Amino acid sequence: MNPDEYARLIRKSLAQDRLFHDGSLCSMLGDEIALMITSYLDDADVFSMRNDPVNRYASLTYAHGWLDAGIFLGYLADTHLQAEFCDEGMIPWSAHGALSEKMNRYEQMLGLAAISVIPSASSGSPAFPVARRMQDQVQSGREKGLVFRSGDRPVSALGLFSYWYGWLDTGVRCGILLIMERGDLFTT
């Protein structure tokens, strides 16, 4: 899949009907998630115009992470987006110097961010296992990214680090996860 097709699929998924339209907290959170997705898709367009495939790809996978986390949390309708973003062809070889730097930085930032949050709800709340599941999925995704990085698949590694960072930021922005330290690592 090429980046243009990837961006089109995310935009198409975002255009689906929202689950809540009543001004409720759920509606506001769904709108907030949609705004963040749109912002990062717009950033990807700017990076495309600047011929910056690395930052374009990171923006697309981050937006995709927000989309899937919003669906997981029940704030957005499930669109069944079938987009494979772990494709080494997404970034040309000429950009692999910048790719390596960004991949390493995102891996480090995601690792620090993941240990900087805790579930915001008490252990008896229905939100608590949701928060733990988000944390577990982020950790699992980071570990897969590390496997890709060690297997000389830097595009796939960056995609996973950026995607799961989107999940983590969504959890924080929606109040499911609470930042305990390193607030500078989050989009709040």
Side-chain angles (χ1 to χ4, degrees):
M1 172 179 307
N2 68 48
D4 291 330
E5 179 67 12
Y6 186 36
R8 188 190 69 73
L9 286 173
I10 295 172
R11 286 186 196 282
K12 181 180 174 186
S13 293
L14 186 59
Q16 302 296 315
D17 285 336
R18 297 281 161 58
L19 295 175
F20 304 98
H21 298 281
D22 56 4
S24 68
L25 175 61
C26 291
S27 173
M28 290 185 284
L29 289 172
D31 290 345
E32 181 71 14
I33 293 168
L35 177 64
M36 293 302 293
I37 295 166
T38 300
S39 295
Y40 282 93
L41 289 172
D42 290 346
D43 287 351
D45 290 343
V46 170
F47 290 129
S48 178
M49 288 186 287
R50 293 182 182 166
N51 197 27
D52 183 347
V54 173
N55 282 313
R56 180 184 189 194
Y57 178 69
S59 293
L60 289 172
T61 53
Y62 185 73
H64 189 176
W66 272 83
L67 176 68
D68 284 352
I71 292 167
F72 169 77
L73 292 172
Y75 297 123
L76 299 178
D78 190 349
T79 60
H80 306 288
L81 174 65
Q82 298 296 318
E84 179 57 51
F85 60 84
C86 291
D87 179 352
E88 294 303 306
M90 287 273 216
I91 298 176
W93 280 105
S94 59
H96 274 233
L99 170 64
S100 180
E101 183 277 327
K102 190 157 194 94
M103 174 195 62
N104 289 329
R105 186 165 30 97
Y106 270 45
E107 184 276 320
Q108 181 181 26
M109 288 170 41
L110 179 59
L112 290 171
I115 62 172
S116 297
V117 297
I118 61 170
S120 63
S122 63
S123 61
S125 164
F128 184 81
V130 171
R132 292 304 299 260
R133 185 163 173 213
M134 286 189 88
Q135 288 180 296
D136 291 346
Q137 288 185 242
V138 167
Q139 184 59 35
S140 176
R142 181 175 172 269
E143 289 169 4
K144 288 177 187 171
L146 291 170
V147 169
F148 281 138
R149 185 179 75 174
S150 67
D152 200 26
R153 293 187 58 194
V155 175
S156 299
L158 173 60
L160 285 169
F161 297 147
S162 181
Y163 174 87
W164 290 108
Y165 213 129
W167 268 70
L168 206 56
D169 270 340
T170 305
V172 167
R173 188 67 154 238
C174 291
I176 300 295
L177 298 170
L178 178 65
I179 301 170
M180 297 303 291
E181 53 186 76
R182 297 297 312 258
D184 60 306
L185 295 171
F186 298 93
T187 305
T188 57

